């Protein structure tokens, strides 16, 4: 049914009919492709997956691949020097000569299967994917031999990228494989380098040669990051789910990934690559380094060893600079140190059982306290609880002891004697849950709970390792414990029901001795270091600890210690020769950023990214080309075409140097566009639209989407109410009221009913109806208020009108026919609440409440009770100064407010009160005259008394405002009224000079330059071989074609 519907739609067009995806019509109109004389309305399919439909004595061919997900990207590419353009449509690849803005078809190369993708190859070659095969040919010079890789994939190739200088080619297909090739020009062949399996079809890829990184995305709605090293592809990161990904682009400078998908949205991602980046190295090593500690936030490192010295270092310009040293800190070799950088406390312990407490002050290390003979023998482990100032120690005497550090003394608190059969080598303390773990030379591990002065046993496990345990580490987030021992195994443990249970382990004994481990919670990576002088990465998966798909970091020396500051991502390794090296850990992650732009209706199939200028160009199913500006991770629409490709856009290329976009439609026609970034000036100006100040404007989009018009109403001090139409960049007068009233300050317009409600200086409330260009008075209430009416709200579905003004009275009315009937009002006692006057009113239909914004900065909530408006509550000082703007988010029912303090705030109405969701301070210097918020596009425009208007993007459920574009010097420095049409992307401003100015939200324009022409008389090129009207040049078949 879908195929027939498409065929009927195409047949409804004037001849000659166009073919989707460039499918070749190999027979003339009126003739049966098979010569079978098929009856009217019948179908027949060719072996090449081309469906032929006969209707009304005419034939049309529909390529079945137009319903396949394989024809999505890579339809266009350009030579690096910009001299030629190549495209793939139907069963041919096409080359075009380019001279400036002129593009002319040169030659074509036909294939047995549909050619879907083209990419620039090494030298003058172009790589083409046709069906399951890869081809390379010079499409400008057919004298050069072609290179073919038949059945490169087991099924149709869906994605193709290449790195022309290196000859690398990456392809993916419906056989669920990604393959890496090298195009060997001398040997005339494609050399397979790597092949990896993926779970679903891959629809987009991008390769970064500088980092040898491949990004891919597909129907699993995830972005995957691969490292291409040693002729292998290794998966290093995957994103959360998005929506079926069709294109991927990456900016290495900002580490920003952009994707577009089946939902028409563009998403931005931040890529964090996992690797250890060298930060600093010490140049004055220890003689016999034994213990290290690090604080990454300050770059402070403490080290000690057999030379009896304690040294304090700080990272400075690629080196660890020695800032403090105590040469004879202990009388025997130092076995353990502990650092708490926030307080500057350093703990040390040595072979003779002494514990010392030090403090780092400036560039000095000062001893505060000590305990000689704290243990009868060597102390191998120290831990510190900064909250209670408690020191925990353990050593060769098989005991764990707790000490209180007060003043200049270390006082014993408690101890667990003979808790292990042999000396205790490691302690790990988790301050979050007060858990403590100890490990001994005999391979046993004990779990404890330490609180105040009690040390309680939780679990004991003999033989956790065979032989000595070198290192213990805790993951504070999960409470999981990691250990490594002399038996060559790493293991993970967890305390459950009073037992220490192993949850994961390495599959076999490691090749070289590992002396130190660290676990990085954010990346879920386990790092190990030891005698082979390298830092290795491991992943903890269900039941196993397996090598992570990442290269090792080689330090070039045996490593005795590995310390990690989780918060700062600083890693410190200690070498056997006494040298220290400080690294920064950058962890693999793809995190989606808040902004998501709905770029197209339907699938966003094509995207190009000019990273240096932060310009993104897209094309989609509806056939439009759009240009965007990436601003601090936000995408702002700059320009768009109007009916660029009615059949849908299938290919896109953007040349940043000339700001030229090349787009291809379903018929393979190529169009050229120039992105013109214009100055921020009004696109239309109506001087003396009113005599004097314009106080209010309303804008409503037209009902005809193709007409793209906006109706604008304006009112001001001259008492006139005027209607305008904005279309095609011009504002044209439609009419005005015949009998001017006194100045109109407030205006409300409902486009569905054509009703306009206004109020002003005389306190009279009036209702007009707009019919065509005429405005007719429907109803009026004289003396509706004593004094000026400054605020109005009209809820058209219920006919409810709310009015307020300088008299401090709030009133509601019901419009019935040609009469405004009073409903309710505030009483005398309530009027005092608005003694300073009401500037804004709003009806919150979801809760049935009325909100009022007042001169005193308060926002009050009311409800109709009979003929009275009852005060429910108030948010005093919602703004400092007048609260002059209230607007309803019709999607979620939230309320936006703005005021004299220049702040914009979002509120949630719940339980008859206002709860603030977000606030944007200093949005304008001085008062805010108007804010227009579009919940569908999550954009807002604000205007203020500082003569600026600003555009914003609104993020998340909390509706955080993020600035986009700012224009100053508007309306001679003071904007009094503003209206906004998201539909047409137009902003209307007015002020004291009576002039209306129209501004475009878009910063630029995509100017059509023409289209690619063919080889016969300059006709527009389309993929219709065998006809002069197609504008095609010469065509030949690939040498592999049967």
């Amino acid at each position: 049914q879908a195929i027939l519907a498409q065929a009927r739609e195409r047949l409804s067009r004037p001849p000659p009919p166009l073919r989707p995806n460039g499918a070749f019509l190999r027979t003339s109109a009126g003739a049966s492709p098979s010569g079978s004389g098929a009856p009217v309305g019948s179908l027949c399919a060719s072996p090449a997956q081309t469906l032929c439909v006969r209707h009304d004595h005419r034939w049309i061919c529909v390529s079945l691949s137009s319903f396949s997900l394989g024809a999505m990207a890579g339809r266009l590419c350009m030579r690096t020097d910009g001299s030629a353009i190549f495209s793939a449509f139907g069963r041919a690849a096409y080359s075009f000569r380019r001279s400036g803005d002129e593009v002319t078809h040169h030659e074509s190369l036909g294939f047995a299967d549909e050619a879907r993708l083209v990419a620039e190859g090494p030298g003058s070659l172009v790589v083409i994917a046709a069906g399951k095969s890869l081809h390379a040919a010079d499409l400008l010079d057919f004298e050069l031999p072609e290179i073919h890789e038949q059945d490169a994939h087991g099924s149709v190739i869906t994605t193709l990228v290449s790195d022309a200088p290196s000859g690398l080619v990456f392809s993916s297909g419906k056989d669920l494989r990604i393959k890496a090739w090298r195009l060997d020009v001398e040997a005339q062949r494609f050399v397979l380098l790597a092949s990896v399996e993926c779970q679903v079809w891959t629809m987009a890829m991008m390769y970064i040669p500088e980092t040898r990184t491949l990004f891919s995305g597909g129907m699993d709605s995830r972005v995957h990051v691969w490292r291409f090293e040693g002729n292998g592809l290794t998966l290093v990161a995957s994103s959360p789910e998005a929506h079926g990904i069709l294109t991927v682009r990456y900016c290495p400078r900002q580490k920003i990934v952009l994707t577009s998908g089946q939902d028409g949205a563009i998403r931005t991602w931040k890529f964090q690559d996992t690797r250890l980046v060298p930060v600093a190295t010490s140049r004055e090593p220890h003689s016999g380094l034994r213990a290290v500690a690090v604080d990454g936030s300050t770059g402070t490192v403490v080290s000690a060893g057999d030379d009896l010295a304690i040294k304090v270092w700080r990272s400075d310009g690629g080196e660890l600079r020695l800032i403090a040293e105590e040469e004879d800190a202990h009388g025997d070799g130092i076995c353990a140190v502990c650092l708490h950088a926030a307080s500057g406390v350093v703990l040390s312990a040595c072979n003779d059982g002494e514990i010392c407490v030090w403090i780092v002050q400036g560039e000095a290390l000062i001893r505060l306290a000590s305990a000689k003979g704290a243990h009868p023998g060597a102390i191998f482990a120290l831990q510190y609880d900064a909250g209670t100032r408690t020191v925990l120690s353990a050593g060769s005497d098989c005991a764990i002891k707790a000490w209180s550090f007060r003043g200049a003394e270390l006082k014993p608190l408690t101890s667990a004697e003979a808790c292990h059969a042999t000396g205790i080598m490691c302690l790990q303390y988790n301050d979050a849950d007060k858990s403590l773990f100890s490990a001994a030379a005999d391979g046993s591990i004990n779990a404890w709970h330490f609180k105040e002065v009690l040390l309680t046993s939780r679990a004991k496990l003999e033989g956790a390792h065979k032989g000595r345990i070198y290192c213990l580490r805790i993951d504070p987030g999960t409470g999981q414990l990691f250990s490594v021992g002399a038996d060559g195994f790493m293991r993970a443990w967890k305390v459950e029901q009073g037992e220490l249970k192993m949850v994961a382990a390495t599959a076999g004994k490691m090749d070289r001795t590992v002396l130190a481990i660290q676990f990085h919670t954010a990346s879920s990576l386990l790092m190990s270091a030891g005698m082979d002088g390298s830092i290795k990465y491991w992943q903890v998966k269900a039941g196993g600890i397996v090598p992570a798909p990442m290269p090792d970091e080689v330090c070039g020396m045996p490593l005795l210690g590995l310390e990690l500051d989780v918060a700062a991502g600083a890693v410190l390794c200690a070498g056997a020769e006494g040298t220290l090296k400080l690294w920064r850990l950058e962890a693999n992650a793809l995190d989606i950023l808040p902004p998501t732009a709905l770029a197209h209706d339907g699938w966003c199939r094509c995207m190009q990214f000019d990273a240096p200028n932060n310009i993104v160009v897209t094309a989609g199913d509806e056939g439009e080309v759009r240009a965007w500006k990436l601003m601090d991770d936000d995408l702002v629409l700059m320009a768009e075409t109007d009916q660029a490709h009615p059949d849908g856009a299938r290919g896109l290329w953007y040349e940043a140097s000339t700001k030229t976009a090349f787009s291809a439609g379903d018929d393979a026609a190529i169009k050229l566009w120039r992105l013109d970034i214009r100055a921020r000036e009004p696109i239309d100006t109506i001087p003396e639209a009113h005599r004097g100040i314009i106080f209010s404007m309303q804008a409503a989009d037209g009902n005809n989407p193709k007409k793209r018009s906006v109706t604008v109403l304006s009112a001001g001090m001259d008492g006139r109410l005027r209607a305008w139409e904005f279309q095609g960049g011009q504002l044209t007068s439609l009419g005005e009221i015949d009998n001017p009233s006194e100045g109109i300050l407030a205006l409300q317009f409902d486009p569905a009913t054509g009703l306009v409600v206004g109020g002003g200086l005389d306190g009279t409330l009036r209702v007009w109806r707009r019919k065509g260009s005429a405005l007719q008075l429907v109803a009026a209430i004289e003396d509706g208020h004593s004094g000026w009416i400054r605020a109005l709200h009209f809820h058209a579905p219920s006919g409810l009108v709310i009015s307020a003004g300088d008299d401090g009275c709030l009133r509601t009315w019901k419009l019935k026919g040609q009469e405004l009937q009073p409903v309710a009002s505030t009483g005398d006692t309530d009027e005092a609440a608005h003694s300073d006057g009401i500037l804004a009113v709003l009806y919150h239909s979801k809760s049935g409440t009325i909100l009022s914004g007042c001169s005193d900065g308060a926002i009050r909530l009311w409800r109709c009770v009979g003929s009275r408006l009852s005060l429910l509550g108030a948010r005093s000082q919602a703004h400092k100064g007048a609260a002059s703007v209230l607007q309803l988010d019709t999607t979620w029912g939230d309320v936006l407010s703005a005021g004299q303090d220049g702040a914009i705030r979002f509120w949630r109405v719940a339980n008859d009160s206002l709860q603030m969701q977000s606030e944007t301070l200093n949005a304008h210097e001085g008062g805010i005259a108007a804010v227009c918020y579009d919940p569908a596009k999550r954009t807002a425009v604000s205007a203020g008394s500082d003569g600026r208007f600003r555009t914003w993007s609104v993020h998340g459920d909390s509706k955080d405002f993020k600035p986009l574009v700012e224009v100053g010097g508007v309306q001679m420095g003071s904007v009094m009224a503003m209206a906004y049409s998201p539909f047409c992307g137009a902003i209307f401003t007015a002020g004291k000079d009576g002039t209306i100015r129209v501004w475009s939200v878009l910063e630029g324009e995509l100017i059509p330059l023409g289209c690619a022409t063919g080889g016969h008389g300059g006709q527009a090129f389309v993929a219709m071989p065998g006809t002069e009207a197609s504008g095609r040049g010469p065509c030949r078949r690939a040498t592999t074609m049967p």
Side-chain angles (χ1 to χ4, degrees), residues 785-791 803-811 834-839 841:
H785 288 266
S786 57
W788 295 5
I789 297 176
R790 293 185 180 271
S803 62
D806 285 351
D807 58 2
C809 188
L810 184 65
R811 291 191 167 95
H834 288 111
S835 57
D836 291 335
I838 304 173
L839 303 178
V841 291

Side-chain angles (χ1 to χ4, degrees), residues 577-645:
E577 85 279 33
T579 301
L580 302 173
K581 286 192 176 181
L582 187 64
W583 309 72
R584 183 179 68 254
L585 179 68
E586 296 181 350
N588 278 326
L590 268 170
D591 299 319
I592 191 166
L593 299 174
T596 298
L598 188 60
H600 295 271
D601 295 329
W603 292 11
C604 181
R605 295 179 181 266
C606 314
M607 179 169 60
Q608 294 286 311
F609 184 26
D610 172 16
N613 298 305
N614 285 341
I615 291 175
V616 180
V617 185
T618 62
D621 271 354
E622 82 282 72
E624 302 301 352
V625 179
R626 296 189 170 100
W628 310 77
K629 186 82 170 181
L630 182 62
M631 300 177 60
D632 296 329
D633 307 335
D634 264 299
L635 281 167
V636 183
L637 184 63
M638 297 177 63
E640 60 184 333
T641 59
D642 187 10
Q643 296 186 336
H645 297 279

Side-chain angles (χ1 to χ4, degrees), residues 391-441:
V391 178
L392 296 167
S393 62
S396 61
D397 61 348
C398 311
I400 300 173
K401 297 185 179 182
W403 310 81
S404 174
F405 168 49
R406 293 288 187 273
E409 291 184 284
L410 275 173
K411 294 182 178 180
L413 289 176
T414 188
S415 66
E417 303 291 340
C419 54
H420 286 268
T422 57
I424 299 172
M425 311 307 299
C426 311
L427 280 182
Q428 278 290 286
Y429 177 65
N430 185 8
D431 180 57
D433 61 1
K434 306 301 180 182
S435 60
L436 177 71
F437 294 89
S438 59

Side-chain angles (χ1 to χ4, degrees), residues 60-132:
I60 182 169
C61 291
V62 182
S63 171
L64 295 182
S65 63
S66 65
F67 297 94
S68 144
L69 296 177
M72 292 186 180
R75 294 289 193 177
L76 286 180
C77 77
M78 181 185 290
R79 182 169 280 180
T80 304
D81 61 8
S83 63
I85 296 171
F86 309 99
S87 69
F89 280 89
R91 293 187 193 139
Y94 306 95
S95 63
F96 301 82
R97 295 281 189 184
R98 181 191 174 208
S99 177
D101 295 335
E102 294 184 1
V103 176
T104 306
H105 177 239
H106 179 64
E107 289 192 11
S108 306
L109 183 64
F111 296 94
D113 298 309
E114 183 178 354
R116 299 165 176 269
L117 308 161
V118 288
E120 186 181 16
S124 60
L125 294 178
V126 176
V127 183
I128 306 147
K132 301 185 291 184

Side-chain angles (χ1 to χ4, degrees), residues 199-539:
Q199 299 299 315
V200 296
W201 290 354
T202 297
M203 308 310 305
M205 291 192 297
M206 183 176 184
Y207 179 64
I208 310 299
E210 293 81 6
T211 58
R212 297 177 68 84
T213 304
L214 179 73
F215 293 87
S216 69
M219 305 316 292
D220 62 350
S221 302
R222 297 179 185 273
V223 180
H224 303 285
V225 185
W226 309 79
R227 182 89 14 88
F228 179 65
E229 289 180 325
N231 292 343
L233 280 168
T234 304
L235 182 65
V236 296
S238 294
S239 74
E241 288 190 22
H243 209 292
I245 294 171
L246 305 179
T247 64
V248 175
R249 293 292 179 267
Y250 177 59
C251 174
R253 178 172 54 88
Q254 297 172 284
K255 290 194 174 181
I256 293 289
V257 180
L258 292 114
T259 63
S260 67
Q262 292 173 300
D263 57 355
I266 301 175
R267 291 175 173 85
T268 53
W269 311 76
K270 190 74 173 179
F271 174 57
Q272 299 293 342
D273 192 9
T274 301
R275 60 184 62 198
L276 283 173
V277 180
V279 175
T281 304
S282 68
R283 294 192 177 276
E284 299 177 35
H286 285 269
S287 174
L289 179 64
R290 295 277 297 275
V292 291
V294 60
D295 173 63
S297 60
T298 60
T300 304
V301 173
V302 175
S303 61
D306 288 338
D307 56 3
L308 314 183
I310 299 176
K311 297 183 179 182
V312 183
W313 315 77
R314 190 153 293 154
S315 174
D316 184 14
E319 290 189 8
L320 282 172
R321 181 172 59 87
L322 185 63
I323 62 169
E325 181 180 12
E326 185 68 24
E327 291 186 352
D328 295 315
H330 287 269
D332 205 343
I334 302 173
C335 303
V337 292
C338 186
L339 167 66
H340 185 258
S343 60
V345 170
V346 176
L347 306 176
S348 63
C350 66
N351 281 328
D352 63 8
E354 183 187 34
I355 300 174
C356 290
V357 182
W358 313 78
I359 190 167
V360 181
Q361 289 186 346
E363 297 190 354
L365 189 63
I366 301 171
R367 186 197 298 251
L368 296 180
S370 65
K372 291 186 178 294
H375 288 258
I379 299 174
F380 297 126
L382 289 173
Q383 294 285 282
Y384 183 57
D385 184 343
T388 60
R389 302 188 72 182
T390 301
V391 178
L392 296 167
S393 62
S396 61
D397 61 348
C398 311
I400 300 173
K401 297 185 179 182
W403 310 81
S404 174
F405 168 49
R406 293 288 187 273
E409 291 184 284
L410 275 173
K411 294 182 178 180
L413 289 176
T414 188
S415 66
E417 303 291 340
C419 54
H420 286 268
T422 57
I424 299 172
M425 311 307 299
C426 311
L427 280 182
Q428 278 290 286
Y429 177 65
N430 185 8
D431 180 57
D433 61 1
K434 306 301 180 182
S435 60
L436 177 71
F437 294 89
S438 59
D442 62 356
S444 62
I445 299 176
N446 289 358
W448 310 82
H449 185 266
F450 175 72
K451 190 172 183 181
E452 296 176 352
V453 296
L454 295 176
L455 189 60
T456 308
S457 176
R458 297 172 62 203
K460 294 184 178 182
L461 181 63
E462 302 292 335
H465 286 266
K466 293 180 180 179
R468 177 175 175 174
I469 294 176
Y470 291 129
C471 189
L472 282 183
R473 295 296 178 192
I474 292 179
D475 175 15
T478 63
Q480 199 163 256
L481 180 73
F482 298 91
S483 63
V484 63
D487 57 2
F489 286 87
M490 282 191 293
R491 295 188 170 105
W493 312 86
K494 201 154 192 179
V495 177
E496 293 180 355
Q497 298 177 347
E499 293 184 11
L500 195 62
K501 295 183 179 180
M502 186 171 66
V503 294
T506 50
K509 184 177 180 179
M510 293 177 287
D511 294 336
R512 300 294 297 271
T513 301
V514 172
L515 300 174
I517 56 174
Q518 283 288 347
F519 184 78
H520 188 245
T521 306
S523 61
S524 298
L525 283 176
L526 185 65
M527 293 177 286
S528 67
M531 297 305 294
D532 65 350
S534 66
I535 301 174
K536 298 181 184 296
Y537 302 90
W538 307 80
Q539 291 176 330

